[in-house]
Amino acid sequence: VLPIKALYLGIRRRPNIIFVKVSNSLHFTKNIHKGIGVGSTVTYTCLQIAAFSEAKSVNIVGVDHSFKLKPKDENKEHNIEILEGNDENHFDPNYFKNQLWGLPDLDGSEKAYILAKNYFDSIKIVVTDYTIQGKLKVFQKGDINKIYK
């Protein structure tokens, strides 16, 4: 699944790629052919893809739902800025080091997650968050050690 903009980057249509319209809305859909709302986080997009694929269960790993921001970056959700120095917010300090990145909007993300949860609850599919020490409180928590035995 790629945004339509990818066509402008030279990615060609192929049977294994679905191009979708992307909007900055919180709209949650299981019909990604009509477009996807980004909901302030790529995980929200992934949840819509899970709904589209008619997943029987949905598991999340790695949604910390917390960011360390420098005082100059606070209250600047969605701004695109250069991350100066090491990236303290991802698994690798070089992930966005000295590169452009979008400042997080945790409140917006949480609103989006609630919409996703409401959708999956309505079709009786549980979304389980297996993130170790994650701060997100929207989804049921699970112990990752129980699924990797």
Side-chain angles (χ1 to χ4, degrees):
V1 177
L2 293 173
I4 289 174
K5 290 184 207 177
L7 289 167
Y8 299 108
L9 298 174
I11 296 175
R12 296 186 191 147
R13 293 185 184 276
R14 302 194 291 258
N16 64 336
I17 295 177
I18 299 171
F19 290 96
V20 296
K21 295 177 193 169
V22 177
S23 75
N24 288 330
S25 75
L26 286 177
H27 176 71
F28 187 92
T29 183
K30 73 174 202 167
N31 185 352
I32 64 175
H33 294 291
K34 291 185 177 181
I36 291 180
V38 296
S40 302
T41 173
V42 69
T43 308
Y44 187 64
T45 302
C46 294
L47 289 166
Q48 290 172 89
I49 294 168
F52 171 76
S53 67
E54 298 181 347
K56 301 299 180 214
S57 68
V58 178
N59 300 316
I60 300 172
V61 178
V63 179
D64 297 327
H65 199 60
S66 71
F67 286 87
K68 297 174 189 170
L69 295 176
K70 295 176 181 168
K72 72 175 187 69
D73 293 332
E74 290 179 9
N75 301 314
K76 291 182 168 182
E77 295 87 357
H78 300 284
N79 279 12
I80 306 295
E81 299 190 1
I82 292 179
L83 177 65
E84 297 170 359
N86 288 341
D87 184 345
E88 298 179 50
N89 293 303
H90 292 90
F91 55 90
D92 183 329
N94 294 312
Y95 195 70
F96 281 118
K97 182 178 185 175
N98 301 320
Q99 296 182 54
L100 291 172
W101 81 303
L103 297 177
D105 178 0
L106 296 179
D107 291 335
S109 296
E110 200 154 315
K111 289 174 185 168
Y113 290 138
I114 289 168
L115 290 175
K117 182 181 187 317
N118 290 342
Y119 170 77
F120 285 108
D121 285 352
S122 76
I123 60 170
K124 301 191 180 356
I125 292 179
V126 175
V127 178
T128 305
D129 179 1
Y130 288 97
T131 303
I132 298 168
Q133 298 178 351
K135 305 276 189 293
L136 183 62
K137 305 280 188 233
V138 173
F139 301 110
Q140 167 183 300
K141 295 289 187 184
D143 181 355
I144 198 163
N145 295 309
K146 292 184 179 175
I147 60 173
Y148 287 112
K149 284 187 174 184

